[in-house]
Amino acid sequence: MNTVDVAVSVNPSDLPGDYFTQEPVQQTKQQQEVVQELEYQISLLNTEKQSLAEQIKKLQSDIQALQRNVSSETTTVMKSTPSKQDPLCDKPPLDNGQYLDIRGVTETDSPLDVNATKTSTTTTITTTDCTESITTATQPHSKLKSQSQQSKTAVLFDQPNRNLSPVFHQALLSFCRMSADSRLGSEVSRIADSEQSVMLMLGRCLPHIVPNVLLAKRERMVVHLCQELIPLILCTACLHPEPKERDQLLHILFNLIKRPDDEQRQMILTGCVAFARHVGPTRVEAELLPQCWEQINHKYPERRLLVAEACGALAPYLPKEIRSSLVLSMLQQMLAEDKADMVREAVVKSLAIIMAYIDDPDKYSQGFELMLLSLADPSERVVSATHQVFIPAFAAWCTELGNLQSQLMPSLLTRIEKLLKQGEYGLDEHKLHMYLSALQSLIPALFAVLLQNAPFTSRANLQGEVPPIEVTRFPRPASPLQDVATIVGSREQLAVLLQLYDHQLQHEGTTGWDSLLWVVNQFLPQIIEIVGRINVTSSTCVHEFSRFFWRLCRTFGKIFTNTKVKPQFQEILRLSEENVDATAGNGILTKATVPIYATGVLTCYNQEEDRKLLVGFLEDVMTTLSLSHAPLDSLKASFVELGANPAYHELLLTVLWYGVVHTSALVRCTAARMFELLVKGVNETLVAQRVVPALITLSSDPEISVRISTIPAFGTIMETVTQKELLERVKMQLASFLEDPQYQDQHSLHMEIIKTFGRVGPNAEPRFRDDFVLPHLHKLALCNNQQTAESKRIDIATQLFEAYSALSCCFISEELMVNHFLPGLRCLRTDMEQLSPEHEVILSSMIKECEIKVENKGIGEAQGSISIAASLVGEDAKTKFLSKMGQLTTSGAMLANVFQRKK
């Protein structure tokens, strides 16, 4: 054999520092040593390569001889064997050997398919060779031969008494991440079951291993080398006759790579599944599970992750009592104790697969607790996996047990009700979200139960043409397992069921349809009653329930929504004044039922009649609440939730214009106040074209109360809009309120303006604050000194105090400080000396700090600010300052200490 020259690249950094500085002709002693060393290394490499090449050639020669022997024996056997009517026999045998290939197992043969094997307690393992009577070319060791013969017999797998659709089952098992696509993955997925096939595997794998054991490559190729060893380790572990040796080999497999990455874990898992299919449940329990148990508390999270993933991947091949006892306990322990998010996420996915194989009803309560534990996990990725994988799998089991509607969903509703009772003084919104999101994830399973237990189910067949399902018919599922088509078996089957479902609801009624009657008569009334008890001012709760009803209505369809959901809401939302208690404000229209119905039910469908219904409902609510002097919180919550989506801005402006032109001043006042909520979310074009004209109309209303109601909205425009023309227009309107003589004695108007200035001043454009807000506050403070009515004087003084407190944290120039801010504070102190001594103490300290800043101009310029808050004591001075403002029950001496510097 010809020797192959090895090209060696020399890295300049490995050469002496002065190598390139010498003249080429003058080779120093050092250079000569380098050249000699390189030549010596090249000769070593050439020798080693030649030796390896000879070994490879010998192995190839042995393999060819074996193939010739097998080929001749196969021909002899096939000539003496009757022809089999099997299409697989027409294919050339793969590698002329026998393997268990986890990629080649048919659905009817696979233990993964529970439906296909319900009538059988055994699973036949297919091989890639059609002839089972091939004899090997050489005599194997007696024990190895016995082991090989045992491996060819059918392996028994425990089949759970379950009825999952094959599509759902395969979608669930797709979360087991295995690798059989690559060359190495293909090798790992097959287990040799004879000496001959072992030799063929060695022939394929060694050429990839041997070149990487060279000394020069060992360090950087160690991980790749480990991966290449996986099929050899597995094959040997399967066939070795000694249990102790097999245990040692599996221990090597699980400890082969210190921190296996994603691809390496997939490779190991693929091998574990191939091993399990080959050896059967008894050896999986005795040999593989102990390896997992040993690593459950390993210091490296990647190793614990491998254990978590292996528990799910091996679930189909374990004895059923082990699935629901030892493996379930292992996963439960890891879910509760493991600190790594990625490990707990894998645990949740494996638990979901276990749920597809458990058929012991006594384990239901443990499954329910695991669901709650997963939902309460602090990691978002774990919670997401719970919704995507665990809850659908658990719901499928509950459906088979018949307790989805009798236990699981009622348990969650009971917990929500208990939470509301305990939360009278503060609701745990996180737990509410946890339970409600679980209910939301159960909606597809609930709808599938309705379809599969309907009176028309027996008539559902796939003969004839079925109209395709609209793309937008269902909300987008969080995962394939939450797709109703996956749950019922196929999209075609779902299309047939949907057609019959709509016809049944529209023409034949619900008599005898127990699963649907439970939803209509028990579930809906209970959750609607819960909705009426949540706090309408909690935007989080309103949003959560709104999303729940939206998904429920979209899943159950338009006919169900119109005939079953809307009537129940409309029954309790009787839009009339009698339904609202004007004194206590505890009528149903003041509750969260209003925004949740508006945003969760009436927005489900977006055709013209649906939008008209939503507009009419909001107009009726606005009118009824206004005329009965009830709180507007429910209407505000509806506007906030809808206003978050720009698609509803035009609709909301239509509702408000209805209020602008209403005959009742009370309704016009409400419309004016609702504009404030809408301004922040609406684009400036709509503000200019629709909002400001409406507010200008209301600002000239005959009723002074309506004009006053526009002030907060004008203030919000000054805070959020950037168009100069628009800002000038609003500024002129506010100026007319402040300077027009007709408003000189309007106490309520002045109160509203001062309150608005305090709210928007810190965030408004600095020029507006400097040129408009501060000078007018000064004037109002000065006028209040002349106020004779003490009650009005204290009202204005208190409101001015709040405004100045908010503005004191802004940058205020020296000129404004001298001309307006300090004079305004002094006027306010004059009022407080007589009306509220405790306020006066704080004002005196504020004035003193301002005066120090003005006198100390150099320091002020260096700091770039005359912000009062910057001089306060401690961390987060602004927060401390404002909090101390509210503590006016303390003594004056203590309040004065608020502004003392730390010594």
Side-chain angles (χ1 to χ4, degrees):
M1 178 178 289
N2 295 329
T3 58
V4 183
D5 292 330
V6 177
V8 179
S9 61
V10 182
N11 189 341
S13 61
D14 296 333
L15 299 174
D18 60 343
Y19 185 84
F20 294 100
T21 62
Q22 305 293 327
E23 290 293 327
V25 238
Q26 300 173 347
Q27 290 191 344
T28 64
K29 184 180 179 182
Q30 195 174 16
Q31 290 172 335
Q32 291 172 354
E33 289 176 355
V34 169
V35 171
Q36 289 173 0
E37 177 63 25
L38 290 174
E39 288 175 346
Y40 175 70
Q41 289 182 13
I42 289 171
S43 66
L44 281 178
L45 290 172
N46 279 328
T47 305
E48 192 169 2
K49 187 159 188 177
Q50 183 178 0
S51 171
L52 290 171
E54 289 173 356
Q55 291 178 35
I56 291 170
K57 186 177 181 182
K58 185 177 182 302
L59 283 169
Q60 289 172 340
S61 175
D62 292 342
I63 289 168
Q64 288 171 0
L66 282 169
Q67 286 174 338
R68 284 194 297 272
N69 290 336
V70 172
S71 177
S72 61
E73 290 183 22
T74 303
T75 306
T76 306
V77 171
M78 292 188 70
K79 283 180 180 178
S80 61
T81 305
S83 176
K84 297 181 181 180
Q85 298 300 317
D86 187 344
L88 290 176
C89 290
D90 296 333
K91 298 179 182 179
L94 182 62
D95 294 323
N96 292 329
Q98 293 181 330
Y99 297 89
L100 175 75
D101 190 342
I102 68 170
R103 303 164 306 152
V105 180
T106 62
E107 281 192 4
T108 54
D109 290 328
S110 171
L112 297 178
D113 188 348
V114 292
N115 288 324
T117 55
K118 283 186 71 177
T119 57
S120 174
T121 57
T122 65
T123 301
T124 304
I125 297 180
T126 61
T127 65
T128 55
D129 198 321
C130 299
T131 59
E132 299 180 358
S133 55
I134 298 177
T135 56
T136 54
T138 57
Q139 281 294 324
H141 186 281
S142 60
K143 285 187 178 181
L144 184 61
K145 184 175 182 180
S146 172
Q147 190 79 13
S148 174
Q149 289 170 349
Q150 288 175 13
S151 69
K152 293 178 186 177
T153 61
V155 181
L156 301 177
F157 291 106
D158 286 335
Q159 296 300 322
N161 185 25
R162 298 293 298 277
N163 192 30
L164 292 174
S165 79
V167 178
F168 183 90
H169 203 271
Q170 290 302 319
L172 180 59
L173 290 171
S174 69
F175 287 94
C176 286
R177 306 187 63 194
M178 289 185 284
S179 173
D181 296 333
S182 62
R183 175 198 62 79
L184 188 55
S186 171
E187 202 66 69
V188 171
S189 68
R190 296 180 296 174
I191 296 292
D193 63 352
S194 70
E195 186 182 85
Q196 175 198 6
S197 53
V198 172
M199 292 300 296
L200 294 176
M201 179 179 281
L202 286 170
R204 287 191 305 271
C205 293
L206 283 174
H208 295 281
I209 295 173
V210 172
N212 295 319
V213 299
L214 300 178
L215 182 64
K217 293 185 177 181
R218 187 169 296 159
E219 288 301 319
R220 65 176 184 271
M221 293 303 296
V222 65
V223 174
H224 175 72
L225 186 60
C226 288
Q227 288 181 208
E228 294 285 352
L229 288 171
I230 292 173
L232 302 183
I233 293 170
L234 279 165
C235 181
T236 313
C238 272
L239 300 177
H240 203 288
E242 298 298 334
K244 186 176 178 182
E245 297 298 326
R246 295 201 301 266
D247 180 71
Q248 186 176 353
L249 286 165
L250 290 175
H251 181 78
I252 290 172
L253 175 68
F254 273 81
N255 293 274
L256 194 61
I257 302 170
K258 185 162 70 173
R259 305 185 77 157
D261 61 22
D262 194 51
E263 181 185 352
Q264 292 156 358
R265 288 196 313 277
Q266 289 180 40
M267 200 73 71
I268 295 171
L269 289 174
T270 304
C272 287
V273 169
F275 178 91
R277 284 191 172 182
H278 191 76
V279 303
T282 305
R283 279 183 61 185
V284 174
E285 177 191 351
E287 298 177 17
L288 268 185
L289 275 188
Q291 301 298 332
C292 293
W293 183 259
E294 283 180 14
Q295 310 245 351
I296 199 171
N297 292 312
H298 199 280
K299 65 177 180 178
Y300 292 133
E302 292 86 354
R303 299 280 277 274
R304 304 196 302 274
L305 181 56
L306 178 62
V307 172
E309 291 172 334
C311 287
L314 294 173
Y317 313 102
L318 291 167
K320 62 181 179 181
E321 63 275 4
I322 294 298
R323 290 180 196 135
S324 55
S325 57
L326 175 62
V327 176
L328 195 61
S329 298
M330 286 170 63
L331 291 171
Q332 185 170 13
Q333 177 183 331
M334 294 179 81
L335 180 63
E337 298 176 3
D338 204 291
K339 294 179 180 179
D341 295 353
M342 63 179 182
V343 175
R344 298 197 307 279
E345 180 187 18
V347 166
V348 166
K349 292 176 180 177
S350 290
L351 280 170
I353 295 167
I354 293 291
M355 288 297 138
Y357 287 90
I358 286 181
D359 55 9
D360 178 5
D362 293 337
K363 295 294 180 182
Y364 165 78
S365 57
Q366 187 176 0
F368 182 74
E369 292 304 320
L370 285 169
M371 182 186 78
L372 295 182
L373 184 62
S374 305
L375 287 168
D377 196 277
S379 168
E380 185 58 38
R381 63 191 290 181
V382 176
V383 175
S384 178
T386 306
H387 287 291
Q388 291 178 7
V389 192
F390 184 88
I391 290 180
F394 186 56
W397 184 36
C398 291
T399 299
E400 293 182 48
L401 292 175
N403 61 11
L404 179 71
Q405 294 173 300
S406 62
Q407 290 188 54
L408 179 55
M409 298 188 80
S411 297
L412 291 169
L413 286 173
T414 302
R415 278 169 167 74
I416 291 174
E417 288 180 326
K418 186 178 179 182
L419 206 60
L420 291 171
K421 287 178 183 176
Q422 295 171 344
E424 292 178 3
Y425 302 103
L427 179 65
D428 188 337
E429 292 185 351
H430 176 71
K431 276 193 174 179
L432 179 68
H433 165 73
M434 190 175 93
Y435 298 140
L436 195 58
S437 64
L439 274 178
Q440 185 171 305
S441 291
L442 290 171
I443 290 173
L446 179 63
F447 185 61
V449 167
L450 258 65
L451 295 178
Q452 292 168 333
N453 293 280
F456 52 75
T457 305
S458 59
R459 307 198 306 270
N461 58 67
L462 295 177
Q463 295 177 354
E465 286 191 16
V466 180
I469 303 171
E470 292 179 20
V471 178
T472 58
R473 169 61 181 83
F474 291 100
R476 181 176 294 177
S479 79
L481 299 175
Q482 287 197 18
D483 188 341
V484 182
T486 303
I487 299 171
V488 301
S490 71
R491 199 158 181 84
E492 293 75 21
Q493 182 70 19
L494 178 60
V496 173
L497 290 170
L498 283 178
Q499 191 177 42
L500 294 168
Y501 168 77
D502 288 341
H503 185 271
Q504 181 84 23
L505 284 179
Q506 208 160 16
H507 303 290
E508 299 178 24
T510 58
T511 305
W513 197 348
D514 293 339
S515 53
L516 182 122
L517 289 172
W518 177 83
V519 175
V520 175
N521 297 331
Q522 295 183 52
F523 180 70
L524 275 175
Q526 189 175 359
I527 199 153
I528 290 173
E529 192 270 335
I530 287 173
V531 161
R533 288 162 50 195
I534 70 169
N535 188 349
V536 69
T537 60
S538 170
S539 57
T540 304
C541 292
V542 169
H543 179 69
E544 292 288 341
F545 276 96
S546 173
R547 283 202 325 171
F548 172 82
F549 273 99
W550 187 89
R551 190 164 287 272
L552 179 79
C553 292
R554 285 304 300 264
T555 302
F556 280 67
K558 191 166 188 177
I559 298 172
F560 181 88
T561 302
N562 289 338
T563 61
K564 308 299 178 188
V565 181
K566 288 180 182 177
Q568 292 201 32
F569 275 98
Q570 290 163 356
E571 178 65 25
I572 58 173
L573 291 171
R574 293 175 180 172
L575 292 170
S576 63
E577 292 181 53
E578 293 75 25
N579 285 324
V580 181
D581 187 331
T583 56
N586 59 354
I588 191 66
L589 289 185
T590 65
K591 302 294 185 183
T593 311
V594 167
I596 288 166
Y597 176 56
T599 63
V601 178
L602 295 182
T603 63
C604 283
Y605 300 95
N606 204 27
Q607 294 178 356
E608 188 60 30
E609 64 269 21
D610 302 309
R611 294 177 75 85
K612 283 182 179 177
L613 188 60
L614 177 56
V615 168
F617 175 72
L618 292 174
E619 289 174 353
D620 290 345
V621 169
M622 182 166 65
T623 303
T624 308
L625 292 178
S626 303
L627 296 178
S628 55
H629 301 276
L632 301 175
D633 292 330
S634 61
L635 186 64
K636 288 179 178 178
S638 304
F639 267 68
V640 168
E641 185 73 17
L642 289 169
N645 185 349
Y648 291 106
H649 289 172
E650 285 279 0
L651 184 146
L652 293 175
L653 287 167
T654 301
V655 173
L656 291 183
W657 186 253
Y658 165 85
V660 170
V661 298
H662 200 277
T663 54
S664 169
L666 293 171
V667 178
R668 298 199 299 275
C669 279
T670 298
R673 294 197 173 276
M674 298 308 294
F675 274 112
E676 179 191 349
L677 294 174
L678 203 54
V679 166
K680 288 188 178 181
V682 174
N683 65 64
E684 291 194 5
T685 304
L686 274 180
V687 172
Q689 293 175 355
R690 303 282 298 277
V691 176
V692 171
L695 287 172
I696 295 294
T697 300
L698 291 171
S699 66
S700 57
D701 195 272
E703 292 290 334
I704 185 66
S705 59
V706 177
R707 284 177 261 169
I708 292 172
S709 298
T710 63
I711 293 171
F714 279 128
T716 304
I717 291 173
M718 297 302 298
E719 187 182 17
T720 56
V721 172
T722 57
Q723 289 183 25
K724 289 186 178 180
E725 292 179 5
L726 205 55
L727 290 173
E728 282 301 318
R729 198 173 172 190
V730 173
K731 188 175 170 183
M732 285 173 60
Q733 184 58 54
L734 290 173
S736 73
F737 283 143
L738 288 162
E739 296 163 8
D740 195 320
Q742 65 172 317
Y743 300 120
Q744 188 173 352
D745 298 322
Q746 288 296 332
H747 177 72
S748 298
L749 183 141
H750 293 150
M751 285 283 289
E752 195 66 65
I753 282 188
I754 296 169
K755 182 180 179 182
T756 300
F757 281 174
R759 176 174 60 84
V760 307
N763 303 315
E765 187 187 19
R767 189 173 175 182
F768 171 70
R769 181 174 62 240
D770 295 346
D771 297 350
F772 192 82
V773 173
L774 291 176
H776 279 101
L777 281 179
H778 179 197
K779 289 179 185 177
L780 289 165
L782 190 60
C783 291
N784 201 47
N785 289 159
Q786 316 303 320
Q787 179 61 256
T788 54
E790 188 172 316
S791 61
K792 290 183 179 180
R793 189 178 178 191
I794 187 62
D795 285 346
I796 294 290
T798 304
Q799 206 62 61
L800 282 168
F801 178 82
E802 296 295 332
Y804 274 112
S805 299
L807 290 165
S808 64
C809 298
C810 303
F811 169 77
I812 301 169
S813 68
E814 182 187 349
E815 181 184 354
L816 281 170
M817 184 69 73
V818 173
N819 295 335
H820 294 297
F821 196 82
L822 268 173
L825 280 178
R826 292 181 183 123
C827 291
L828 182 56
R829 181 174 61 179
T830 302
D831 290 334
M832 290 304 188
E833 283 174 348
Q834 302 173 26
L835 303 170
S836 177
E838 290 180 328
H839 283 84
E840 189 271 332
V841 172
I842 292 181
L843 284 167
S844 295
S845 297
M846 289 174 69
I847 291 167
K848 185 177 179 182
E849 290 289 332
C850 289
E851 289 172 343
I852 291 172
K853 288 290 182 183
V854 171
E855 291 171 5
N856 221 348
K857 289 186 296 184
I859 296 175
E861 287 172 3
Q863 291 175 343
S865 170
I866 310 183
S867 169
I868 299 172
S871 65
L872 297 180
V873 181
E875 296 178 0
D876 198 2
K878 177 181 174 181
T879 307
K880 253 186 188 178
F881 170 69
L882 293 176
S883 67
K884 292 294 183 182
M885 294 284 183
Q887 300 173 0
L888 296 179
T889 53
T890 347
S891 68
M894 289 180 69
L895 286 168
N897 291 331
V898 171
F899 297 96
Q900 297 302 313
R901 296 180 183 274
K902 278 189 177 178
K903 301 295 182 187

